[in-house]
Amino acid sequence: MANPASYRPQTGEIPTTPGVYRFRDPHGRVIYVGKAKNLRSRLNSYFANPSGLLPKTHAMVHAASSVEWTVVGSELESLQLEYTWIKEFKPRFNVVFRDDKTYPYLAVTMGEKYPRVQVMRGERKKGTRYFGPYTAGAIRETMDTLLRVFPVRSCSAGVLKRAQASGRPCLLGYIDKCAAPCVGRVTPEEHRQLAEDFCAFMGGEAKRFIGRLEKDMAAAVAELDYERAAGLRDDIIALRKVFERNAVVLAEDTDADVFALHEDELEASVQVFHVRGGRVRGQRGWVVEKVEDATTPELIEHLLQQVYGEDSEVQGRIPREVLVPENPSNHAELSEWLGGLRGAKVDIRVPQRGDKAALMSTVRENAEQALKLHKTRRAGDITVRSLALQELQEALELPVPLLRIECFDISHVQGTNVVASMVVVEDGLPKKSDYRKFSITGAAAADDTAAMHDVLTRRFRHYLTDKAAQVPVSGEIINPTRMGTAAAPNGTEAPPSDPTMPAPKAKFAYPPNLVVVDGGQPQVNAAARALAELGIDDVHVVGLAKRLEEVWLPNSDFPVILPRTSQGLYLLQRIRDEAHRFAITFHRQKRGKAMTVSALDGVPGLGEAKRKALVAHFGSLKKIKAASVEELTSAKGIGPALAAAVVQHLGSSEDAGEAAPAVNMTTGEILES
């Protein structure tokens, strides 16, 4: 741990204006981002009496080795920049709210010729209308029920194309849960109107459709068409079932998100009810570890930043009202920021009485129950992970705790398409954002030991490069004097930069405490040799051999045998299996691309579209070879220079004996002949 006095800035160097500051660890990784109305006052509070800091802040300043800051023009700018940097760097000492699951939305792709109803997760797409979020079970039931009344297409693009080619609809078309626009049962305009009605119903206009169906049912009864009347009756029942599933909790013109939280000293649970048209349309929940000493108003500020910042590109995602248990810090600036994202005023307030206060109480009860459930489940997970890491450290006699473990695996088929994977585990949990893939060629692909040596050399050479590029000079402070301009360590002014723009990310800047390789003594020795050649002596290496699951150490004649029931062995096996899975996946992708090759692949300037145009125009590679430059220019997009390049390339390939037709090795099909 570093002594805060070793990197404390001089008081006179720190401006008294608003700004955003970052603490970095010895490896250059940002570990905390904060904002302040007065930078000098805030930063001095970290260094004046470190022993008097709260435990989490004390741990942060001692884990850091440097601090830097950026001056901004207003508190609103500091709010925006703080959010940008937290999102970019994901600092370990900042509170980060993560969903306990990815909530699905009911989406209608209005941008397509035949709009499609589907369940969607993740990133929003332009031209698509979203409703929700819902729980997984509720959204499937809702969709299935509504397709009875609004038979909008719900099939994939592949199914749609097959139906159009064959002239026969899929099963949903036969059971009347799709209007089958693919075979012309309805026109594109009629199908789009069905999709518009579906969206209108989901948007809160249920009574209009139910009333219309009731009139149609009465007319059918008057005409003695009882069969049609029975079908309309079932449609009305289905719509009422969906409509009544969401109880009316507020006035029908109310659009609001109701947040509540329940917290203890270590964690906080947050729940939100999304109220649209007075009805609860969806619910989300987060449980966050309080890694920084944040008050409830500060937690609420971070929550609103992250929840709405992630989805700011979606119009209508932010409601008119945001109801919270306490007003967030920087209340006015946060309201202004959310209003800018929404394009209209956003009212953040605390409900005091009435229906909204009663609903807030219900949301709070959900948050309390969610935290209890989380603690019950996590208690076992933390115990097992801690035991596994401790057992592994003791069995391998390592002097440092295993905060970060990286595992490497080599994958190939008889020496072809050789690839490697790197998977990362931090605190016993996989960190997929740090996973990496390597392609191995040349002499390094000769065998597994050479490949392992090559991969470890490349990975830790990147680490040394990133470390040199990122770590500030010891004791120096980067202290911009205005937005976007930083003072260089030697006192000269660095080139202007925009701190709101993401900085280039160092992919390998953070080293592991332990490297695990998939293999026995040869692979371990190769990995250890790679580290020694780079002068790295603070990273430990072990190997896990598959046959007897022995753990090998470098330059050791005998393996370490962990008990079969050891949690440490289970952890190593899980990491090894994950590295193997990741490597196999990459190898299959690479092998799949190599299976379909063409003699036209190496022509300079000939891309995939023009290559397809050539083959479509001439019909085969043989005819392309026989064509002259003038004949080749008759194909779409092929000019004289490109035609000459094709002729030259095919001529040289034939001379070298490489004119074999392209073959799909999976099916044996000759692709171009």
Side-chain angles (χ1 to χ4, degrees):
M1 280 192 171
N3 183 354
S6 66
Y7 65 92
R8 177 179 182 175
Q10 296 295 322
T11 301
E13 295 178 346
I14 311 174
T16 58
T17 52
V20 182
Y21 55 92
R22 295 179 291 182
F23 282 88
R24 291 182 180 268
D25 67 7
H27 301 290
R29 191 163 70 168
V30 175
I31 61 173
Y32 185 74
V33 174
K35 66 179 183 303
K37 297 179 181 178
N38 184 320
L39 280 169
R40 180 180 297 178
S41 175
R42 174 62 60 84
L43 288 177
N44 279 338
S45 69
Y46 289 106
F47 299 101
N49 182 19
S51 61
L53 295 173
L54 293 171
K56 292 170 184 174
T57 307
H58 182 275
M60 185 272 292
V61 297
H62 283 80
S65 63
S66 63
V67 64
E68 57 194 45
W69 59 83
T70 297
V71 172
V72 296
S74 67
E75 292 180 38
L76 177 60
E77 288 182 12
S78 70
L79 183 77
Q80 294 170 325
L81 184 55
E82 181 194 36
Y83 167 70
T84 300
W85 278 351
I86 290 175
K87 183 178 179 181
E88 177 186 354
F89 297 114
K90 298 179 176 61
R92 55 185 286 205
F93 284 99
N94 278 95
V95 169
V96 178
F97 291 86
R98 296 185 177 89
D99 281 314
D100 53 358
K101 58 176 74 67
T102 302
Y103 287 83
Y105 288 77
L106 194 58
V108 186
T109 58
M110 299 301 293
E112 299 184 20
K113 179 181 179 181
Y114 299 116
R116 177 189 178 191
V117 176
Q118 59 182 319
V119 177
M120 295 186 71
R121 300 175 187 263
E123 185 179 355
R124 312 294 190 270
K125 297 180 181 178
K126 188 176 180 180
T128 301
R129 299 185 190 176
Y130 293 88
F131 305 93
Y134 296 92
T135 58
I139 195 171
R140 297 289 180 186
E141 186 178 352
T142 298
M143 178 176 166
D144 187 64
T145 303
L146 289 180
L147 288 180
R148 172 189 175 88
V149 185
F150 306 105
V152 184
R153 168 200 161 211
S154 59
C155 62
S156 66
V159 172
L160 178 69
K161 288 181 181 179
R162 286 197 296 271
Q164 289 174 325
S166 65
R168 296 170 54 191
C170 64
L171 177 62
L172 292 176
Y174 284 108
I175 63 175
D176 296 328
K177 286 197 172 181
C178 178
C182 53
V183 295
R185 287 187 187 173
V186 295
T187 65
E189 293 75 19
E190 291 171 335
H191 184 265
R192 180 166 292 275
Q193 186 57 49
L194 277 174
E196 293 284 359
D197 290 346
F198 183 99
C199 293
F201 180 89
M202 292 300 300
E205 300 181 32
K207 291 183 179 179
R208 173 165 68 90
F209 291 101
I210 293 175
R212 187 176 70 186
L213 290 177
E214 287 175 339
K215 290 180 181 179
D216 291 345
M217 183 178 68
V221 171
E223 296 172 2
L224 304 181
D225 189 352
Y226 296 116
E227 184 176 351
R228 179 168 177 267
L232 291 170
R233 176 203 62 199
D234 293 341
D235 290 347
I236 293 170
I237 293 172
L239 291 187
R240 282 179 174 165
K241 181 180 179 182
V242 174
F243 183 63
E244 293 170 358
R245 183 174 295 144
N246 296 325
V248 176
V249 292
L250 300 174
E252 290 192 0
D253 61 346
T254 301
D255 289 341
D257 284 346
V258 186
F259 291 89
L261 64 95
H262 182 77
E263 58 183 312
D264 57 20
E265 295 81 2
L266 300 176
E267 294 176 306
S269 170
V270 179
Q271 290 281 313
V272 57
F273 281 10
H274 300 283
V275 180
R276 301 293 184 269
R279 297 174 179 270
V280 178
R281 298 294 186 185
Q283 175 186 4
R284 296 174 73 183
W286 302 264
V287 176
V288 63
E289 184 179 355
K290 295 167 70 173
V291 291
E292 61 176 299
D293 297 304
T295 63
T296 299
E298 289 172 338
L299 277 176
I300 294 172
E301 178 191 327
H302 291 313
L303 171 69
L304 299 184
Q305 275 183 305
Q306 294 174 39
V307 170
Y308 294 124
E310 293 292 335
D311 295 333
S312 60
E313 73 277 5
V314 183
Q315 294 299 321
R317 179 70 181 83
I318 304 176
R320 292 191 298 267
E321 287 184 279
V322 177
L323 306 180
V324 292
E326 291 186 32
N327 277 324
S329 53
N330 294 297
H331 177 267
E333 291 77 14
L334 194 59
S335 297
E336 183 180 351
W337 180 62
L338 292 180
L341 296 179
R342 182 174 182 262
K345 183 180 178 181
V346 175
D347 185 16
I348 303 175
R349 61 190 185 88
V350 181
Q352 302 294 336
R353 61 185 65 86
D355 293 338
K356 292 178 181 177
L359 182 59
M360 174 73 74
S361 178
T362 301
V363 181
R364 188 179 299 111
E365 289 179 11
N366 279 267
E368 182 177 356
Q369 293 300 320
L371 184 60
K372 289 180 180 178
L373 180 60
H374 169 78
K375 285 188 174 295
T376 301
R377 290 175 174 174
R378 196 180 179 205
D381 293 341
I382 292 178
T383 301
V384 171
R385 291 206 314 271
S386 300
L387 179 61
L389 293 171
Q390 184 178 353
E391 283 185 3
L392 202 54
Q393 181 183 351
E394 292 174 354
L396 301 178
E397 299 180 354
L398 301 179
V400 293
L402 301 178
L403 301 180
R404 179 181 171 105
I405 303 174
E406 293 179 0
C407 184
F408 295 81
D409 184 31
I410 308 296
S411 181
H412 59 86
V413 173
Q414 295 182 348
T416 62
N417 299 311
V418 184
V419 300
S421 66
M422 178 185 104
V423 303
V424 180
V425 169
E426 288 193 354
D427 295 327
L429 295 173
K431 188 178 182 183
K432 294 193 175 183
S433 61
D434 284 4
Y435 284 17
R436 297 290 178 263
K437 299 178 288 190
F438 301 84
S439 291
I440 304 169
T441 57
D447 56 51
D448 284 0
T449 56
M452 190 64 71
H453 181 276
D454 178 71
V455 169
L456 267 293
T457 300
R458 289 159 60 186
R459 184 266 180 266
F460 284 96
R461 187 185 294 131
H462 283 304
Y463 157 60
L464 296 176
T465 302
D466 290 346
K467 179 182 178 181
Q470 282 203 351
V471 177
V473 178
S474 178
E476 297 291 347
I477 312 299
I478 301 174
N479 52 342
T481 55
R482 64 181 183 273
M483 185 75 165
T485 303
N490 60 5
T492 60
E493 190 174 87
S497 61
D498 184 357
T500 63
M501 296 297 292
K505 294 186 178 179
K507 296 181 178 180
F508 298 97
Y510 199 64
N513 305 110
L514 178 67
V515 166
V516 179
V517 299
D518 182 22
Q521 191 176 29
Q523 287 81 5
V524 173
N525 290 339
R529 189 172 67 255
L531 295 178
E533 290 170 357
L534 294 172
I536 297 173
D537 57 5
D538 57 349
V539 175
H540 304 276
V541 181
V542 299
L544 183 63
K546 290 187 179 73
R547 190 170 65 89
L548 298 176
E549 304 290 25
E550 318 106 327
V551 179
W552 287 89
L553 300 176
N555 303 315
S556 175
D557 294 331
F558 301 98
V560 176
I561 305 298
L562 296 177
R564 287 294 179 179
T565 58
S566 165
Q567 291 297 332
L569 179 59
Y570 290 158
L571 176 61
L572 284 180
Q573 289 171 331
R574 289 196 297 271
I575 298 171
R576 189 266 317 277
D577 293 344
E578 174 68 355
H580 187 63
R581 179 200 65 79
F582 196 50
I584 284 290
T585 301
F586 181 40
H587 172 72
R588 286 173 177 167
Q589 292 172 354
K590 189 174 181 181
R591 188 180 64 197
K593 291 180 180 178
M595 281 180 176
T596 53
V597 295
S598 169
L600 298 173
D601 285 348
V603 180
L606 187 66
E608 183 180 356
K610 292 182 180 179
R611 188 163 59 245
K612 289 181 178 178
L614 265 179
V615 175
H617 183 81
F618 289 96
S620 69
L621 183 62
K622 183 177 181 180
K623 292 181 180 179
I624 295 174
K625 289 179 180 179
S628 64
V629 172
E630 293 75 15
E631 291 171 336
L632 289 176
T633 57
S634 61
K636 183 179 179 180
I638 307 298
L642 186 56
V646 171
V647 171
Q648 181 181 2
H649 177 81
L650 292 179
S652 61
S653 297
E654 188 171 355
D655 293 340
E658 296 174 2
V663 177
N664 185 322
M665 300 301 293
T666 302
T667 63
E669 175 188 5
I670 297 178
L671 299 177
E672 302 171 13
S673 60

